[in-house]
Amino acid sequence: MNPPPFSLSPLGRRRQRQERLAQGVLAGMVLALVLPLLALVGYLLVKGAPLLSWSFLTTNPTQGMRAGGIWPALLGTIYLVVMALIVATPVGVLCAIYLNEYARETWLTRLIHLAVVNLAGVPSIVHALFGLGAFVLFAGLGRSILAASLTLAIMTLPVIITSTREALAAVPMAFREACWNVGASRWQTIRHVVLPNAVSGILTGVILQVSRTAGETAPIMFTGAVFYKKIAAGDLFAYSLRDQCMALSMHLYTVTTQVTNAPEALPYAIAVVLLVAVLAVNALAIALRVRLRTRKKW
Amino acid sequence: MDAPEYSITTRGLNLWYGQFQALVDVSLDIPARRITALIGPSGCGKTTLLRCFNRINERLGYVTTRGEIHVLGRNIYAPDVSLLELRKAVGMVFQRPNPLPLSVYENVVFGLRLHHRRGELPRARLDAAVEQALREVGLWNDLKDRLDTPATRLQLEQQQKLCIARLLPLKPQVILMDEPCSALDVNGTRAIEELLFALREHYTLVVVTHNMAQARRASDECIFMLLGRVIEHRRTEDLFLNPRRPETAEYIEGRYG
Ligand SMILES: Nc1ncnc2c1ncn2[C@@H]1O[C@H](COP(=O)(O)OP(=O)(O)OP(=O)(O)O)[C@@H](O)[C@H]1O
Ligand SMILES: [Mg+2]
């Protein structure tokens, strides 16, 4: 007797088992990734909670950094990140536009592409040494916010170039051809069609670099960050670009390794601030992306 | 009929993609204000030839071109030819409709906006250009009330007509079409063919097609290509009724490709 139509064959049953197994394993992986992250955030919050307050954010450290707040480090990190991205974004985006829209596919552009990709993988301590040699010593900037943020800029540049190129390449070729065929110049094509359709991708790539720059310690350690610096509490313009500054990542390192008898909650509280700031910026990136994506019309 | 006037002439045109020669000694005279169909099996170089006429091939770094192409009497490889002006005069329509992700209105005036300063384009002039272009391609009655819908939401046939309409405000002399109907159904195809006949009055049309029946119906002259060479170029009726070359005969009888 034949089975009724559309009933499961033995082979089909095996495929179904495999399907369930695959789904289970993949979902498990996601959990394995998300749970530790949540656990980490929770742990930091609980441990750091005793110190977290508004005044923690807005006052100078006192008693050899054992008490008081983290204002100079917070402001220093903001300065470094903003300056680094102000430099790296236009240069990186323009580079990517040139490479993707103007340069013809030759061995030279392939070489440049390879170099950019590899630069993105250079350890940050190497960037630090480069920054020390190039900006601090050779350019005579001394150890300063300027030198440190330029070093960070060099570090993020290849990543911004790569992510921008990807965003540009995602704009369909047909749009460009449509433009050229009504006699648009390269720049008009970029300006009117390519950029408007790539901007969400470009911005996301740039904003994701905020977290990376904010978290790095090595590149700023030699080039402009200091262990301790007292500045006017709560004043947003307390640093000038030629000053040295404190930074959150470095401060965390200092209080855990260099300061004896620091309160146990202090490093956790600093970590929470760093993490929350970074998560907030990333959330902004996602929100921006969603907004721009819904405006996209193809 | 008076003496033929040619819009495009090529002499000894050769083209290489890297080492691969895609066009071999192509010499052609394409008459003005006629529909010229370009047929041949897949990979014979039809698209490549078409893309030579507005020099859009050169974007690829590894393309080498030898020979002469005259468009409207001017050698387009002369050093002082402006690519932008050339492409204004020689428009192109692609296999897949490629409206820009803008409104219908903005798609039609896109070319105008590129070539004029803002002050030279009062609203009335733009409106008039849109109406005229859409009328010419037969979209005006369908779309006049929804000029601000995104062009990408139109039906494929309308999109393809819009892509043609987008060229018209720039007053091109030549319109190149690469398989303009291959993404369309029977009705869409018929509509585009009718449009071709209407446009023939003012423009020189070169149309690549895989559809023998279409080439036969909707062209005045027909060029048959094989492996990068032009095998036969004659009036369409003659080519289909008594082809001179055995290859042509085989192809139009559907024996390959
Ligand atoms: N960008 C390119 N790089 C390298 N070779 C190419 C490129 N474009 C086309 N070719 C080659 O050139 C030859 C002619 O291609 P072309 O696209 O002009 O053919 P076609 O006649 O338009 O074919 P179809 O009918 O399939 O569209 C083919 O052999 C193709 O492989
Ligand atoms: Mg083709």
Side-chain angles (χ1 to χ4, degrees):
Chain A
M1 226 190 37
N2 279 331
F6 313 130
S7 55
L8 211 53
S9 69
L11 186 65
R13 217 162 287 137
R14 219 179 99 195
R15 280 217 310 258
Q16 210 174 40
R17 267 203 309 278
Q18 286 174 349
E19 187 64 37
R20 281 209 204 100
L21 188 69
Q23 232 175 46
V25 169
L26 295 176
M29 287 297 172
V30 173
L31 270 188
L33 207 82
V34 170
L35 282 184
L37 183 69
L38 290 180
L40 178 76
V41 175
Y43 180 72
L44 290 178
L45 269 177
V46 170
K47 287 282 219 176
L51 280 180
L52 286 172
S53 69
W54 183 246
S55 69
F56 181 68
L57 297 180
T58 55
T59 56
N60 277 298
T62 52
Q63 297 171 25
M65 291 185 276
R66 287 181 193 89
I70 54 166
W71 170 251
L74 182 61
L75 187 69
T77 291
I78 294 175
Y79 267 63
L80 289 174
V81 170
V82 169
M83 279 302 297
L85 290 185
I86 284 179
V87 175
T89 306
V91 177
V93 170
L94 294 179
C95 270
I97 290 178
Y98 179 77
L99 287 175
N100 206 59
E101 304 294 321
Y102 284 90
R104 290 177 174 195
E105 176 91 11
T106 63
W107 62 270
L108 185 65
T109 45
R110 275 201 291 274
L111 193 71
I112 293 176
H113 180 66
L114 204 67
V116 169
V117 169
N118 278 304
L119 265 180
V122 170
S124 56
I125 189 76
V126 178
H127 285 293
L129 283 176
F130 174 77
L132 179 67
F135 301 126
V136 177
L137 301 176
F138 181 75
L141 296 176
R143 293 179 177 222
S144 60
I145 293 181
L146 204 55
S149 44
L150 285 176
T151 310
L152 288 173
I154 294 286
M155 188 188 77
T156 50
L157 203 53
V159 189
I160 291 185
I161 293 178
T162 311
S163 66
T164 306
R165 276 193 78 166
E166 272 160 23
L168 293 174
V171 177
M173 202 42 143
F175 292 176
R176 299 188 179 90
E177 288 181 334
C179 281
W180 296 332
N181 276 297
V182 286
S185 65
R186 286 282 159 111
W187 176 244
Q188 284 175 319
T189 308
I190 294 166
R191 165 84 189 58
H192 293 289
V193 170
V194 180
L195 279 185
N197 288 296
V199 71
S200 70
I202 294 176
L203 279 182
T204 322
V206 169
I207 294 179
L208 286 180
Q209 285 310 297
V210 170
S211 37
R212 185 143 162 270
T213 12
E216 284 290 348
T217 321
I220 55 176
M221 206 143 89
F222 303 154
T223 51
V226 287
F227 287 144
Y228 178 71
K229 187 173 170 83
K230 190 169 154 50
I231 59 168
D235 177 5
L236 276 178
F237 301 99
Y239 286 122
S240 91
L241 293 184
R242 302 305 296 263
D243 287 345
Q244 296 183 310
C245 68
M246 290 178 70
L248 284 176
S249 54
M250 178 105 155
H251 192 49
L252 184 57
Y253 167 76
T254 313
V255 296
T256 39
T257 61
Q258 315 286 312
V259 179
T260 48
N261 302 327
E264 203 204 350
L266 184 55
Y268 294 102
I270 297 173
V272 168
V273 173
L274 191 56
L275 200 67
V276 167
V278 164
L279 288 183
V281 171
N282 286 0
L284 183 79
I286 293 169
L288 198 71
R289 197 188 175 84
V290 170
R291 253 194 73 123
L292 289 172
R293 173 109 26 92
T294 52
R295 264 189 23 206
K296 237 181 221 178
K297 299 178 208 84
W298 96 85
Chain B
M1 228 194 276
D2 38 7
E5 177 196 338
Y6 297 117
S7 280
I8 305 175
T9 53
T10 73
R11 290 292 173 263
L13 180 66
N14 288 280
L15 182 143
W16 291 263
Y17 289 113
Q19 300 296 313
F20 174 77
Q21 184 160 14
L23 293 179
V24 187
D25 270 332
V26 173
S27 298
L28 283 175
D29 296 296
I30 293 177
R33 287 178 295 286
R34 293 279 179 280
I35 304 172
T36 303
L38 208 51
I39 60 171
S42 205
C44 69
K46 305 180 295 292
T47 300
T48 305
L49 179 62
L50 208 61
R51 286 170 161 255
C52 283
F53 296 150
N54 64 0
R55 288 182 60 182
I56 213 149
N57 267 334
E58 290 165 40
R59 219 182 62 76
L60 303 166
Y62 52 93
V63 172
T64 331
T65 318
R66 293 265 172 287
E68 278 180 30
I69 304 177
H70 290 260
V71 174
L72 307 172
R74 180 95 152 84
N75 179 6
I76 59 171
Y77 285 100
D80 55 342
V81 163
S82 151
L83 276 187
L84 307 187
E85 292 301 319
L86 172 67
R87 289 181 189 154
K88 236 171 94 177
V90 183
M92 190 157 187
V93 176
F94 296 83
Q95 191 165 353
R96 283 198 57 78
N98 59 350
L100 293 167
L102 303 167
S103 67
V104 170
Y105 188 96
E106 284 302 319
N107 260 282
V108 179
V109 298
F110 190 82
L112 281 182
R113 287 204 198 279
L114 291 177
H115 295 282
H116 298 274
R117 271 190 295 274
R118 203 173 286 258
E120 298 170 351
L121 292 173
R123 187 75 190 184
R125 179 165 171 206
L126 293 177
D127 289 346
V130 170
E131 177 167 351
Q132 198 196 341
L134 290 182
R135 270 191 201 286
E136 243 178 296
V137 299
L139 278 180
W140 178 249
N141 287 327
D142 292 342
L143 294 184
K144 64 175 180 251
D145 299 320
R146 30 189 203 121
L147 291 175
D148 50 0
T149 40
T152 41
R153 291 232 195 95
L154 301 179
Q155 302 156 11
L156 278 181
E157 175 202 328
Q158 294 178 325
Q159 289 190 11
Q160 193 64 298
K161 286 178 171 175
L162 181 67
C163 290
I164 299 172
R166 184 171 58 198
L167 304 171
L168 303 182
L170 295 175
K171 314 231 175 304
Q173 309 281 319
V174 180
I175 299 180
L176 310 170
M177 302 192 185
D178 195 354
E179 302 184 38
C181 300
S182 67
L184 307 180
D185 63 6
V186 182
N187 289 328
T189 304
R190 185 166 339 110
I192 298 283
E193 281 173 18
E194 278 163 15
L195 176 56
L196 290 184
F197 284 116
L199 291 173
R200 172 171 63 173
E201 212 178 310
H202 303 290
Y203 309 96
T204 304
L205 299 163
V206 185
V207 182
V208 171
T209 175
H210 267 287
N211 181 334
M212 285 309 106
Q214 179 176 55
R216 200 167 179 168
R217 272 195 308 267
S219 71
D220 302 304
E221 297 203 354
C222 196
I223 300 171
F224 172 62
M225 292 182 70
L226 194 59
L227 296 174
R229 293 169 196 273
V230 171
I231 302 294
E232 194 160 346
H233 174 195
R234 293 161 68 195
R235 291 193 31 221
T236 302
E237 300 146 49
D238 300 342
L239 188 125
F240 278 93
L241 286 179
N242 43 11
R244 275 200 197 119
R245 302 279 301 261
E247 299 96 320
T248 320
E250 279 177 34
Y251 182 71
I252 58 182
E253 283 161 28
R255 252 175 267 163
Y256 54 101

